[in-house]
């Protein structure tokens, strides 16, 4: 089950975050190749964040998945999520950092 946690310094009061949930879960499902109903998205706003020495709108995200991550997938995820945050929260992609974790990375694959 992929899980995406987004933390931003943008005040979300009065902001319709539903498109962020639906677009992010759809993008993750499509890019990683998992069913959308298994994707979790958490968005937390009004968190004090300083990025590149300023407190301008920014976001930190952490995406955790059990498999399905490689360099191309990681790049596509970061690009897609950055575009979603820019479209809905006016956070420039250069002020978005995403940490992608594959919980199966480095584990020996079982042989059947």
């Amino acid at each position: 089950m992929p899980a995406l946690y987004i933390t931003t310094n943008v005040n979300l009061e009065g902001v319709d975050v539903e498109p962020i949930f639906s677009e992010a879960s759809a993008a993750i499902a499509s890019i990683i190749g998992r069913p959308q109903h298994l994707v979790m998205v958490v968005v937390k706003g009004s968190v004090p964040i300083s990025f590149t020495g300023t407190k301008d709108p920014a976001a930190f995200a952490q995406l955790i998945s059990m498999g399905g991550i490689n360099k191309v997938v990681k790049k596509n995820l970061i690009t897609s999520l950055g575009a979603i945050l820019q479209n809905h929260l006016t956070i420039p992609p250069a002020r978005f950092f995403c940490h992608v974790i594959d919980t199966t990375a480095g584990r020996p694959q079982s042989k059947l």
Side-chain angles (χ1 to χ4, degrees):
M1 175 169 97
L4 173 67
Y5 302 90
I6 301 171
T7 304
T8 180
N9 56 359
V10 174
N11 182 343
L12 300 178
E13 188 174 323
V15 174
D16 181 11
V17 294
E18 191 55 41
I20 297 170
F21 289 120
S22 61
E23 291 176 29
S25 63
I28 292 165
S30 172
I31 295 168
I32 295 179
R34 301 284 194 269
Q36 188 170 353
H37 73 274
L38 296 179
V39 177
M40 176 191 296
V41 178
V42 177
V43 180
K44 188 173 187 178
S46 299
V47 175
I49 296 176
S50 175
F51 185 51
T52 67
T54 74
K55 293 183 181 172
D56 292 341
F60 170 76
Q62 186 171 53
L63 184 121
I64 304 166
S65 179
M66 292 185 287
I69 304 294
N70 60 42
K71 287 181 182 183
V72 172
V73 166
K74 191 176 195 178
K75 181 181 178 191
N76 290 339
L77 284 167
I78 292 168
T79 300
S80 294
L81 296 172
I84 291 166
L85 294 178
Q86 182 174 29
N87 290 339
H88 297 288
L89 299 179
T90 319
I91 297 172
R95 296 195 51 80
F96 167 61
F97 181 84
C98 186
H99 182 206
V100 180
I101 301 166
D102 183 343
T103 62
T104 63
R107 282 193 206 173
Q109 298 295 315
S110 62
K111 295 179 183 176
L112 301 177

